Structures are given as C-alpha cells and as structure tokens.
Amino acid sequence: MSTRKRIKSSRRPQSHFTRRAAAAALALSLIAAGLPLQASAGDTWPFQGDSAHGQNQPSVHGYTSGHILDWTPERDRDSELLRSHVPLQPRISPFSATQADPSLSPDVHMMNVAGDYGNAFIENAPYTNKFAQYHFNFWQYTDYYSYWHGTATAYTPPEYYDDLAQKDWQQKWFEFGMLNIPNPTYTDAAHKNGVMSLAGIFFSNNDRGQQTYKQMIVKDENGNFPVADKLIEMAHYFGYDGYFVNQEEIGPNVEPADIPDYQEFVKTLKQAGLYIQWYDSLNTDTGSNTFARTFRDNNIMFLHDAEDGQQVSDSFFFDYGMGQRQIDAAEQFLSDWNTKYGTNYDLFENGYAGLEAGRDRFKNVQGTALQAKLDADGKLRTSLSTLGADFVHAGLDEDMNQGWPSRKRSENDYQWMTDIREQLWWSGPNQDPSNTSVSAQNTASNVYADNRYWPGIASVIAERSVVGGDTFHTNFNTGHGLDYYVNGKVSNNEEWSNMSLQDILPSWQWWQETSGSKLDVAFDYGRQYKTGNSDKFDRAMIGAYEGGSSLALRGKLDAETFLRLYKTDLSVAADSKMSVTYNKTVKSDDSLMSVGIIFADAPDTTVKVPVPGTGGKTQGWKTAEVDLSPYAGREIAAFGLVFDPGTQPVADYRMNVGELRLTNNSQTPPTAPSGLAIEDIYPESGEMIVNWNLDDNYEKVQLYNVYINDTFVGGKYDETFYIKNLPSQSGVVKVTAVGPDGTESAAAEVPFNLNKAPEQLKASSGDNGELHVSWTVPRSVKGDTTVSIRSVNWTTTPEPIAEELVIPHGETSAVFANMPLNGDEYIVTIRKDGLTPVSIAGTFADKIAEPYGEDWSWDEDTLNLPMPNTRDWRYLYVYEDGELRSFPTTYNVGERDRIIRGRTTKASLSFSSTADRVEVVLEDYSGNKSEPVILRGE
C-alpha cells in the first residue's frame, strides 16, 4: 500500500489557551413548557492532574453552518485524528430460539440518542488517561446511535467553561455548534457491533445562539445546497453514517415559505446514502415548533415527498407523548398513504416512539410511558427511540442528591454504580434479560436507582449480534481500565479510556440458567476497582488478561450453572478449536468449567464441552484448548460457559475468564504494518504522533496496537495515533496489526532517543511578525541544524505557512520573519543529523481582528445582520449614533451591550434602527477589536 498524503492535524498551542479539559453532560435541551426534547444531568468538571487534557491532544468540536460551508480536512482542527475507519459490520440473521425472550420481533428497531464518554463540551478527546467515564456496553439492543450533548466550536478557549458555567447550565457563555459529529472511537465501537453512528444537527432558540436553519439550507446559483454537500463529504471523511436532525427553534419559527427548501435539503442527504432520522417537531403548515406525536398531513413531507414520490428521511423520532391513540392514528395514516402513493411505510421501519430516558430515568412515569407504546401482549407497536440513556453515568450525582460542586461520577470509586445502573436500564430490574419482571421492593437503592417500575430495554427489544463466520475472539474488554494488561501482566499502570479497544461484549448481561444459587458476574478491572458496600464482589478482583478487564464470577456454586454469553452464527470446521484463558484464584476442588454450545439445528439442547483441569487452582492465567471437530459442519447459534460444582457445593467459587477464542487452521497472522514513521515528538510535554499505512481489508486486520518499547500506549484501527504520555525518553515505537482472532503480527519499529535530541525548545511569536526559536544541542554533535515551521488548520491566511531555515553549526536560535499576526497555530520542528527530530507547537501572535465582512442589508429601517462567519470572534458591537445597542440573550438572562457569540438570540440578527449612523466592530478571543464597518451614514 502506497504512503498516503498526510493531512497534518491541529496541535494545541502551548499558550493562548489554558491546559484544561472541559468534560460535561449537557442539559440536552430547553427546560421550558412546550419544548419536550429535554434531559438534564450534572455537568462533568474538567479533568485535572495527570488526566488533564494534553497540550496537543485532539478533541472533537462543533460546527456552525458557516464552518461546514468552508470545511476542508486540511483546515479543520484535529481532523486526521478524528476519523473512524472501521466499516459497518453485518449482523447475523435473527434466530428467535436463542433470544432471551423468543417472542420479541427483530423488526422492532432501536435508536439511542445519548452522550459519549463524559459528554465534553470542550476538549472531547477520542481517548485519554481517565477511567471513570461513560462507556456504552449494550450495542446489542441498538441499531442507531446519535451523539447528543453539544460541543463548543473550534478554538473556543477552554477557560470559558468556568465555575459559573459548571454550576449553572444556563450560564455557559460560549458557542455550541449546530452540528455535533460523533467521537470517532464511539463510531469504531458502534460499527464493530453493526450499529450506525449518526451526527446530531440541532437548532433551538437557546442552545445555539444566533444559529438558525436559514444559514444551513442556503442554495447556490445552481439551486444546490452547498452545506448539504459538505455534510455528505464530512460524513464520508470522518466515517459516520448519517444525521439525526432536530429542528426546534422558535422566536421566530421556521418560515413556511422555507419548508420546501428544507425538505429538499434533507432529501439531498438521504439520496447520498446517509441515514436520516427526523425529530417530529415541525408543523409544516405553520412552521411552528409543534409535536404531532403521530404521522399526519402537516409533517409527512419530511418522510415522503408526494410531488416527486421520493423518500425524504428514513424515519421519525416521535416525541415522548406518543401513546395508543397516536399510534392508532399513525398506523391508519400510513396505511392510507401507502394505498394512495404506492409506498410501503410502517411504524417499525419509519416510526420511532420516544422515551425521555435522561429525565424520567427509573421512575414510575418511565414505566408508564413505555406501557403506553405496547400492545395487549406487551410488545412494542412501533420502533423505539430514547434520549439521554447516559444518565446512568451523567446523572449519578443528581440521583445521589449531590448538588454542585459534587462530581462523584468522574471518580473511579463510583464507577461500579454506573456499571450496575446501566445493566438495570438495558438488561432490566434483575440484571437478567431473561427475567424482566419488575421488583416488588426496590433492591437497587445502593446505586441510587429503582427497579420497581422500569422493565428494561431487553423487555421490548430483541438482542442482535455480529458474531458470525468461523472466527471469534474476545477479552471482555469494555474500552477502559485502571491498568492495561498484556498476557496477564500489567504493561501500563496508567488508567485509560478508549472505545476503539472495546471488544464485542456479551449479548446477555447476565443470563444464567441454574437450579441453584446464581453467581455474581461482573467485569473485573483489578484490585484498585471499588465494588461498593454491597455483598456482591466483596472478594478481591484480579484484573485482565489482555486489555483493561476480564469476566469475573464469584459466589456459591451449588448447582450446574449455564452462563449464556454470545448469540452467534458460527460455522464449525473440521479443525475448529475453542481456547479459554482463565484464572481460578481459590483452592482446588472438583468443579468443572465447560464450554456450553447451542447449535442451530438443536436450539433446545446445550452441548457441554469440558475444559479439563478447571477445578484446580491456577498460578496466574492458564489457557486450555478444546477440540470442536466432532461438531464439524454445524452452526453455533449461541454459546457460553457451564460451571458444575462437582460432588458438593463450592461455597466460595472464584473464576475469571480473560479470553475466549474460536479459531481454525485457515487463519494466518497479519503482516507487520508498513510505513511506520514518527510525525512529531513534543519533548516539552511528552507527546508523540505516529503514522503508518492502513490495511483497509478489515477481514484481515481489525486493530493496530501501539507500544513504546514493551509498554502498551494505545490502539485503534487507523493510520495515525496520538500518544499522550511517553513512558520512556528513548527506545522503539512498535506497532502491530491484530487479526480477527486476536493474533498480533510482528511489530513494525522505529527508534527515537530524546536523550540525544535538541532540548529546551522554546518558540515565541512577536507583535512584529517575527517568530523566535531556540534550542540546545550537545557540542559534540556536528553539522547544520534545519528548522522548519508549518501552520496547521490555518483560519485566515489564504495558504498555510511552510518555511525552512538552515542554521550553521554552533548556533542555537532562528528567526522566521513576516509571520502571521492572526493567532493561527504552528508547529516548529528541529532536525540535526544524528539526533532525533523534535517539535514544539504554539500560536502566532494575535494582534488582528478581522472586520465584519458579511452581506448585511437594509429593508427600510430593518437591518439584516448575518452572523459573522470568521472562526475568531467573540463579540459584535453595534453603535447607533455612537451609542452601543443592547441585545437579548438566550435563556432570558438579561440584555448585554453587544452581540455575544453563541448567547445572543437569533432574533438579534435582524432589528429595526432609525439611527443616522450605524457601525459595527468585531472583537476576537484575544481582545483585539476590528476597524469599524459603517452600515449607515458617513
């Protein structure tokens, strides 16, 4: 594979922005009557200490329509490090016999609109060294995942997310983008599980300030939609699958005259092959923010265009009040529509009834809301959408009645509560998808939940699976850990989060069949992991075999117990083998662990294949292999593990399973990656960027692991990787390719040595356009030094800066002249023969604020003032005869004597003025003010 053209990603400047992380769970929409798309949860504070955001760490950011219109990968901050390359994996065919509830129809689909990780507003990292975040573990019930929390637009200073903003969600004085793209590692995990990953488009009268749909649906001279074309391009580049569109703005409402263009805009996205879900919030007759909660004449045009017969979107998310009456009406309406237009729409493919997960949580009202969508047999009459299911993590402090400044959810000691709360939401009140009966008494109060009302998503949605073919591998890795283990030993003792590393997790959490006591089952993150004050898992955890977690079983084993793990469609070949890596930490007994297999041709029978010797205490991890050749030619429809106590009960049974692997002789290890190179090393902050050539055959390579020497530092199916903390000053960067059976290739290697590299790097940009660079090198190293500078993600210059100076031996400084004064970012790299090249990042001096340059206009005394499209502005001042005009702010928190980016209402973009002289001045993030632009008068 040839080396691709590298698109250099942005690097966090060392100055101008503070080194803070702003992770938060946004109050998802308006808390106001008549605006029901709402879910509230406490904001997550910025990470601190070792987990604070790295100086050059990539992060996801939001986009306005203007940013989308001007979008290119080269000018978009961190774009190269924000991509998902994992292809959407096919799911196996439904097979009701192995479902936890065989009566559930696979035709009922699920849309999960929720957050990712900690829902960061600013500095939303794809992966980082922080354990206690939200890691979604239930992809098997989900068909679509849309990311919903809001993200600040690029270059918003992190310090704007201050104590006031953390304390009061209505006091965030910065701009959120109307587009929230998926975190790429979540897309990786979604695609591995056959789930489509959707970006969020959101317009409201509060949360997006001056942004309005009008800026998005603008047409060019040919009648096309340039923003739609860019949205299509962005989806393909970043690797996500479509858009969830939520049009909720009022004051003013959508203009009825604009609705046909809006319809065509959405249709453009759909016709490009993207999946589009439309939130039913728009009355197409009046343009009002209205929730029909059913299909009818004044909303159907966003599903189907009766004039040209084309489909406009794929499905509707109906507001939470959709009940029996609205479902009846929707069924009848679609039936009549299908008859009239020859279509084939139905409520399982095209209609999703909503639940407000984040607001109603485990309360009685939530169970009632679900019941209102079921038929007489307790089955859903439509597909299902939920908003805010990440409340299991983001809402923990609120459910604990802990007000600001509590942040228990971001503390490692409380992560066990998130795990159990998520199982209660998805698997049901008994943490068992085969038994979703609500409890008579609340037995979940220890995690600030209630299992008396909510039956769980598993009660209405059938589990799905991607486990097919003839190969399977899992380490039960949930995508985060307190350590990272390789071959049963700690390779890196730094805590971490990376959803790209999440394995295919068990289809059922936890379905046990036994006539005796059930075992306690959980993911084991090691001895540091706190498991609460309950009687569950009061015995020491041991950690992972590979990754961050293993599967742990504890308790009294007094009868044969079958733990069902995976729903599959796996072919058994003549040379198929199943290997089990396990660790039994207590004394030997005559218990036996077997692989329990359910074949498709006999789904009522469990075939037990013994794993010999599993009653003995192990000295660490042990791998045993069982022969499946007697079953060649058969299809495995499900499998798990069977635990038999033997001749007498085992009072204190403890078993960890670190790996399951189904293989045959046809699998061969992948080859070592090609093209490995170090793009940049930042010795002052201990960061590194590495690149290699991606093997785009996902059937052969499904992951790349990155090591420094023999210390694991991360992994992703990608061609570039950011390393936040170098564990060593010298050694070898190693990258291995991982096949579908978990086998690693030989490592590609590239050496580095920061002990033999330019040191004490400094770079400073002056107001005179000179950028001074200095460094030190050992006197013994001869030869000239090459110093290069390149601008990245340039925002105002027509072309990027790329210059190089050759500095004679003995000199240790350089000056670049005529550099920009616009605050753009740069990377300086210093090279000297015999030394490892090193880099330093920063920003050019910022002394310039661009004047207002939009196409303003007057309609008699009404001034139409389009929102500034520059990326570097904070305030727009309007002077009328020398006096500042005041403007209302969102959330009705008072008028201000300026238009504030992201916080002044969109109504302020058009206002009446009778002043003789009107002029405007822009102020940027650095406090620079532009020259005035006179809009009226002399």
Side-chain angles (χ1 to χ4, degrees):
M1 179 177 179
S2 61
T3 302
R4 67 191 175 90
K5 181 180 178 181
R6 303 290 181 190
I7 299 172
K8 302 303 182 184
S9 54
S10 167
R11 307 291 173 255
R12 183 78 54 194
Q14 290 186 307
S15 59
H16 186 62
F17 296 147
T18 61
R19 186 183 176 184
R20 298 176 60 197
L26 174 61
L28 295 170
S29 189
L30 314 176
I31 298 181
L35 296 175
L37 189 62
Q38 61 178 31
S40 61
D43 291 352
T44 299
W45 284 19
F47 298 148
Q48 299 176 351
D50 292 339
S51 295
H53 205 71
Q55 291 182 12
N56 301 284
Q57 189 166 12
S59 61
V60 179
H61 54 266
Y63 302 79
T64 68
S65 294
H67 299 154
I68 297 167
L69 186 64
D70 295 337
W71 183 84
T72 65
E74 295 86 352
R75 298 184 69 175
D76 188 15
R77 192 175 220 195
D78 298 328
S79 63
E80 188 181 19
L81 289 160
L82 298 177
R83 305 177 72 181
S84 172
H85 296 276
V86 176
L88 182 66
Q89 295 302 289
R91 284 177 159 172
I92 63 175
S93 298
F95 187 48
S96 62
T98 55
Q99 292 176 187
D101 182 350
S103 69
L104 293 179
S105 170
D107 295 333
V108 182
H109 302 302
M110 172 77 198
M111 161 68 106
N112 187 11
V113 183
D116 54 45
Y117 290 125
N119 296 348
F121 298 140
I122 302 173
E123 299 179 337
N124 179 7
Y127 39 85
T128 195
N129 56 333
K130 177 64 178 175
F131 172 71
Q133 298 191 74
Y134 180 60
H135 291 74
F136 182 54
N137 288 341
F138 288 88
W139 300 103
Q140 66 269 32
Y141 298 109
T142 302
D143 298 286
Y144 309 96
Y145 198 112
S146 182
Y147 309 83
W148 192 256
H149 52 80
T151 308
T153 49
Y155 302 102
T156 300
E159 59 264 28
Y160 286 11
Y161 188 47
D162 55 17
D163 286 349
L164 178 62
Q166 295 166 27
K167 181 178 180 180
D168 182 354
W169 62 272
Q170 296 186 359
Q171 295 291 335
K172 294 175 175 63
W173 292 89
F174 51 84
E175 178 185 66
F176 292 94
M178 47 70 66
L179 171 64
N180 189 148
I181 70 169
N183 188 301
T185 59
Y186 257 75
T187 300
D188 286 351
H191 282 181
K192 282 194 221 179
N193 287 274
V195 176
M196 285 194 181
S197 179
L198 308 182
I201 294 175
F202 179 38
F203 292 101
S204 80
N205 66 320
N206 278 335
D207 295 293
R208 299 303 178 267
Q210 301 91 348
Q211 297 173 72
T212 171
Y213 75 93
K214 283 180 172 290
Q215 301 150 357
M216 183 179 72
I217 65 168
V218 63
K219 299 169 81 171
D220 63 18
E221 64 275 8
N222 298 317
N224 298 319
F225 298 97
V227 174
D229 292 340
K230 284 293 183 180
L231 287 172
I232 295 165
E233 185 182 351
M234 290 175 73
H236 293 321
Y237 177 83
F238 288 115
Y240 56 87
D241 305 289
Y243 295 94
F244 171 61
V245 185
N246 179 23
Q247 174 59 58
E248 279 197 271
E249 59 184 291
I250 59 176
N253 294 330
V254 175
E255 292 185 18
D258 290 337
I259 290 176
D261 280 348
Y262 210 146
Q263 179 194 41
E264 288 300 313
F265 179 92
V266 176
K267 190 190 300 182
T268 300
L269 301 177
K270 161 71 178 165
Q271 292 178 345
L274 300 177
Y275 186 92
I276 308 299
Q277 185 164 99
W278 175 263
Y279 183 55
D280 175 41
S281 57
L282 181 62
N283 183 318
T284 56
D285 289 339
T286 65
S288 65
N289 185 215
T290 303
F291 305 93
R293 303 182 176 96
T294 191
F295 282 117
R296 60 188 186 188
D297 287 331
N298 60 14
N299 66 8
I300 190 65
M301 67 182 294
F302 277 94
L303 178 68
H304 181 256
D305 188 340
E307 293 188 8
D308 64 11
Q310 294 179 338
Q311 191 168 346
V312 179
S313 67
D314 291 273
S315 60
F316 270 37
F317 181 136
F318 287 111
D319 186 63
Y320 317 111
M322 189 181 203
Q324 299 297 332
R325 180 172 58 85
Q326 290 85 0
I327 295 173
D328 288 342
E331 285 181 339
Q332 186 61 56
F333 185 93
L334 288 183
S335 176
D336 294 342
W337 193 268
N338 290 337
T339 299
K340 184 175 182 179
Y341 293 102
T343 52
N344 192 32
Y345 298 123
D346 66 67
L347 286 180
F348 296 116
E349 191 69 27
N350 311 109
Y352 288 66
L355 287 175
E356 228 296 8
R359 181 191 65 196
D360 299 332
R361 305 186 184 182
F362 296 108
K363 301 172 186 174
N364 183 38
V365 65
Q366 188 76 275
T368 302
L370 179 61
Q371 285 290 327
K373 306 173 195 331
L374 307 181
D375 62 18
D377 295 323
K379 302 300 185 290
L380 278 168
R381 299 181 63 194
T382 73
S383 286
L384 189 69
S385 278
T386 63
L387 172 69
D390 56 311
F391 80 87
V392 298
H393 176 80
L396 178 61
D397 293 85
E398 292 177 340
D399 290 344
M400 295 175 71
N401 292 318
Q402 298 285 316
W404 185 87
S406 175
R407 46 179 168 172
K408 303 296 186 187
R409 62 198 167 278
S410 63
E411 297 178 17
N412 294 344
D413 288 356
Y414 291 86
Q415 187 67 22
W416 69 277
M417 292 189 182
T418 292
D419 292 348
I420 293 177
R421 285 157 60 92
E422 188 176 42
Q423 289 170 12
L424 291 169
W425 177 258
W426 291 93
S427 295
N430 305 294
Q431 295 170 262
D432 178 355
S434 70
N435 176 16
T436 57
S437 299
V438 295
S439 176
Q441 303 292 326
N442 182 19
T443 60
S445 59
N446 64 327
V447 293
Y448 302 92
D450 197 326
N451 59 353
R452 293 176 294 174
Y453 311 113
W454 174 246
I457 295 295
S459 70
V460 290
I461 300 291
E463 59 273 31
R464 297 87 153 91
S465 175
V466 292
V467 184
D470 61 0
T471 305
F472 178 68
H473 167 260
T474 183
N475 292 115
F476 303 101
N477 189 0
T478 61
H480 64 157
L482 293 165
D483 304 282
Y484 195 94
Y485 296 77
V486 174
N487 293 326
K489 304 294 183 182
V490 173
S491 174
N492 193 326
N493 62 7
E494 189 174 70
E495 63 185 75
W496 61 277
S497 288
N498 184 350
M499 286 291 283
S500 294
L501 297 176
Q502 187 183 73
D503 287 329
I504 305 298
L505 296 179
S507 304
W508 305 286
Q509 299 179 36
W510 304 102
W511 181 4
Q512 299 182 62
E513 296 174 344
T514 182
S515 60
S517 305
K518 286 190 174 182
L519 295 169
D520 294 327
V521 187
F523 296 112
D524 183 334
Y525 298 99
R527 293 184 181 276
Q528 300 178 64
Y529 185 58
K530 305 299 182 184
T531 55
N533 56 6
S534 69
D535 58 353
K536 290 189 175 185
F537 285 89
D538 56 352
R539 306 162 183 90
M541 306 292 253
I542 66 170
Y545 173 69
E546 193 83 23
S549 51
S550 62
L551 183 68
L553 301 99
R554 303 285 189 271
K556 184 177 183 180
L557 182 61
D558 52 13
E560 183 180 87
T561 299
F562 181 25
L563 175 67
R564 294 197 182 212
L565 289 174
Y566 287 98
K567 184 177 178 67
T568 67
D569 185 9
L570 290 166
S571 301
V572 181
D575 53 359
S576 289
K577 297 177 177 62
M578 176 79 80
S579 66
V580 182
T581 300
Y582 66 96
N583 194 339
K584 188 170 183 289
T585 59
V586 291
K587 65 182 181 180
S588 297
D589 50 46
D590 60 355
S591 65
L592 177 67
M593 178 172 65
S594 302
V595 178
I597 301 175
I598 297 172
F599 289 104
D601 56 8
D604 296 327
T605 301
T606 301
V607 175
K608 289 172 281 188
V609 184
V611 183
T614 46
K617 180 180 179 180
T618 59
Q619 302 299 318
W621 293 96
K622 181 178 181 180
T623 298
E625 189 173 80
V626 298
D627 181 15
L628 299 184
S629 62
Y631 312 103
R634 301 180 73 181
E635 301 292 320
I636 300 174
F639 76 89
L641 295 169
V642 180
F643 305 92
D644 189 329
T647 57
Q648 60 184 356
V650 181
D652 183 18
Y653 185 75
R654 306 186 202 179
M655 176 67 78
N656 277 63
V657 183
E659 184 172 75
L660 295 174
R661 189 195 300 260
L662 175 67
T663 59
N664 59 63
N665 293 337
S666 67
Q667 285 96 38
T668 58
T671 58
S674 64
L676 178 62
I678 297 172
E679 179 179 318
D680 288 301
I681 307 177
Y682 300 94
E684 305 305 309
S685 57
E687 299 165 286
M688 180 187 285
I689 307 288
V690 295
N691 299 317
W692 59 87
N693 294 324
L694 177 72
D695 186 332
D696 58 7
N697 186 343
Y698 192 72
E699 293 183 359
K700 292 184 177 180
V701 176
Q702 299 190 347
L703 180 69
Y704 291 93
N705 286 334
V706 183
Y707 302 84
I708 300 293
N709 299 324
D710 293 319
T711 299
F712 183 87
V713 293
K716 197 175 186 297
Y717 179 68
D718 210 324
E719 55 194 354
T720 186
F721 195 80
Y722 162 83
I723 301 168
K724 185 175 181 179
N725 294 318
L726 289 172
S728 176
Q729 287 291 100
S730 64
V732 178
V733 179
K734 301 179 181 180
V735 178
T736 62
V738 183
D741 63 350
T743 302
E744 279 190 293
S745 72
E749 299 185 358
V750 60
F752 73 100
N753 189 349
L754 294 180
N755 298 313
K756 292 184 178 181
E759 297 179 313
Q760 300 181 38
L761 277 64
K762 295 180 181 178
S764 61
S765 180
D767 296 350
N768 61 355
E770 292 183 345
L771 188 137
H772 291 254
V773 182
S774 64
W775 62 94
T776 62
V777 294
R779 286 186 169 274
S780 59
V781 180
K782 307 300 183 182
D784 296 339
T785 301
T786 300
V787 184
S788 60
I789 185 170
R790 69 184 192 269
S791 59
V792 288
N793 314 311
W794 71 103
T795 59
T796 55
T797 57
E799 295 293 335
I801 301 299
E803 295 187 14
E804 184 173 282
L805 298 174
V806 177
I807 306 302
H809 174 67
E811 297 184 20
T812 56
S813 65
V815 178
F816 291 93
N818 302 315
M819 293 293 103
L821 296 174
N822 57 7
D824 275 1
E825 297 165 287
Y826 64 78
I827 297 173
V828 170
T829 301
I830 300 172
R831 295 178 175 85
K832 192 176 181 74
D833 287 347
L835 299 180
T836 295
V838 291
S839 300
I840 187 171
T843 55
F844 295 115
D846 191 358
K847 304 300 295 183
I848 298 173
E850 296 178 69
Y852 180 73
E854 310 309 320
D855 292 331
W856 53 271
S857 63
W858 288 93
D859 183 5
E860 295 182 347
D861 283 336
T862 298
L863 175 60
N864 300 305
L865 202 62
M867 188 175 78
N869 196 35
T870 175
R871 289 179 183 261
D872 187 21
W873 75 283
R874 187 181 188 188
Y875 302 130
L876 175 63
Y877 301 94
V878 178
Y879 292 88
E880 296 176 300
D881 295 331
E883 299 292 327
L884 281 171
R885 182 184 179 98
S886 293
F887 296 90
T889 57
T890 59
Y891 294 112
N892 298 312
V893 293
E895 291 194 346
R896 301 291 190 273
D897 64 352
R898 64 200 71 184
I899 291 176
I900 302 172
R901 182 174 181 174
R903 286 308 305 268
T904 305
T905 65
K906 68 179 184 295
S908 301
L909 299 178
S910 182
F911 56 87
S912 177
S913 177
T914 58
D916 293 329
R917 180 183 175 90
V918 179
E919 57 185 347
V920 295
V921 173
L922 277 178
E923 181 177 330
D924 66 15
Y925 284 138
S926 296
N928 301 308
K929 290 186 177 180
S930 72
E931 292 295 320
V933 175
I934 299 172
L935 308 184
R936 175 188 277 172
E938 296 296 334

